[in-house]
Amino acid sequence: QVQLVESGGGLVQAGGSLGLSCVASGRTVSRYVMGWFRQAPGKDREFVSAITWSVDSTYYADSVKGRFTISRDNAKNTVYLQMNSLKPEDTAVYYCAAGLVGGLDRVKYDYWGQGTQVTVSS
């Protein structure tokens, strides 16, 4: 089993920045694909970004490309999401996920965190 705990959410004005962290415990996740998803009120959970265990491949949704950066520290079992130039439409609960397959599809992830709220005011 893997437990994921997100932190770093909060309230920020449009154009500002926030950094999210996700710490994994229970089992090393160094061989898992780590992903970030988000869910806005009344909308489906959508893919934001993912990173492979070897850290040589990163993936981003078109809506965040150029503004968000994903990274990981396997020694700390931690994945990060740096969010810059935030927009009101980035407002959502952000979830960390881990999966042996991973990818853009949420069903390919085996473990999920509880989520952290990100609110961007206009």
Side-chain angles (χ1 to χ4, degrees):
Q1 290 293 323
V2 175
Q3 293 80 44
L4 302 173
V5 179
E6 304 96 336
S7 62
L11 173 65
V12 65
Q13 289 188 331
S17 299
L18 277 177
L20 304 183
S21 299
C22 172
V23 179
S25 61
R27 178 182 296 180
T28 179
V29 292
S30 62
R31 299 191 70 84
Y32 283 74
V33 176
M34 300 298 295
W36 287 96
F37 288 74
R38 66 187 182 186
Q39 188 166 16
K43 295 187 177 181
D44 291 335
R45 191 170 300 188
E46 65 175 4
F47 171 79
V48 175
S49 183
I51 188 167
T52 59
W53 72 272
S54 61
V55 198
D56 62 355
S57 296
T58 56
Y59 305 90
Y60 297 93
D62 288 342
S63 59
V64 307
K65 201 171 295 183
R67 300 187 298 121
F68 291 10
T69 302
I70 191 170
S71 61
R72 66 189 294 166
D73 185 336
N74 287 343
K76 296 182 178 180
N77 273 7
T78 302
V79 63
Y80 306 95
L81 186 69
Q82 179 63 37
M83 305 183 294
N84 299 326
S85 302
L86 283 161
K87 304 175 181 180
E89 50 263 44
D90 294 318
T91 296
V93 177
Y94 282 71
Y95 297 90
C96 174
L100 289 174
V101 176
L104 279 62
D105 190 346
R106 62 183 180 179
V107 302
K108 299 294 180 62
Y109 290 82
D110 306 299
Y111 303 101
W112 292 84
Q114 292 300 307
T116 184
Q117 177 70 46
V118 172
T119 303
V120 184
S121 63
S122 57

